[in-house]
Amino acid sequence: MTYATLDDLIARAGEAEIKQIADRDRDGEIDAGVIAEALEHADNLVNGYVGTKYSLPFVAVPDLVTTWAIDIARHRLHFQGPPEYVEEDYKRAIASLERVAKGLISLPVAGVETPASSSGTVMFSAPEEVFTAHGLRGWKCS
């Protein structure tokens, strides 16, 4: 399941813009593969941030996540340089995702537990030393 769809992109940017930036073979049609790659990129980026605090996949995708995925995919589609407003939307989406990863923003997700966080303490055990000064007494190094 992707966080955003072609219909979401069209609702946000309009069909004319999406056709202009996603018709790479210039046949007048939106290229499905181009859209799929941009949406997959957005999903992967979102997962990288929210996966630090939430178990994935979501049962129901929060609207905020869909909005961020749209902004990221749209930015990706403008591969020859996005307009300033697209760049600003992308930067806001990334900043929001960073806040989620830091725990400063919580997502309205019911029934999802956050992964256990580390306290910063590392605990380990090891077997007794095999080569000790006492055990090697009498041996010479050459």
Side-chain angles (χ1 to χ4, degrees):
M1 164 179 32
T2 61
Y3 295 133
T5 64
L6 172 59
D7 289 340
D8 293 327
L9 286 166
I10 290 172
R12 173 67 185 253
E15 189 170 0
E17 178 184 325
I18 299 303
K19 190 177 286 187
Q20 182 181 23
I21 60 178
D23 178 15
R24 303 286 167 81
D25 59 6
R26 300 293 178 224
D27 65 355
E29 299 295 323
I30 295 171
D31 296 340
V34 172
I35 294 295
E37 187 279 328
L39 293 173
E40 182 178 1
H41 171 76
D43 290 350
N44 290 337
L45 197 55
V46 169
N47 286 342
Y49 284 102
V50 301
T52 64
K53 294 291 179 187
Y54 294 90
S55 297
L56 298 174
F58 291 122
V59 174
V61 178
D63 289 339
L64 283 172
V65 171
T66 299
T67 299
W68 298 329
I70 291 167
D71 291 343
I72 292 165
R74 188 175 178 201
H75 182 268
R76 179 79 167 197
L77 289 168
H78 279 279
F79 70 100
Q80 293 180 330
E84 187 176 326
Y85 58 91
V86 172
E87 185 71 30
E88 289 303 315
D89 288 346
Y90 172 79
K91 287 179 182 178
R92 276 193 296 274
I94 296 300
S96 295
L97 288 167
E98 288 172 347
R99 286 189 211 102
V100 169
K102 291 177 183 175
L104 301 174
I105 294 177
S106 61
L107 296 174
V109 181
V112 176
E113 295 180 16
T114 58
S117 62
S118 172
S119 65
T121 304
V122 178
M123 308 272 298
F124 65 92
S125 63
E128 290 186 33
E129 290 183 65
V130 175
F131 301 106
T132 64
H134 183 321
L136 292 174
R137 188 177 56 220
W139 287 88
K140 291 185 177 184
C141 295
S142 44

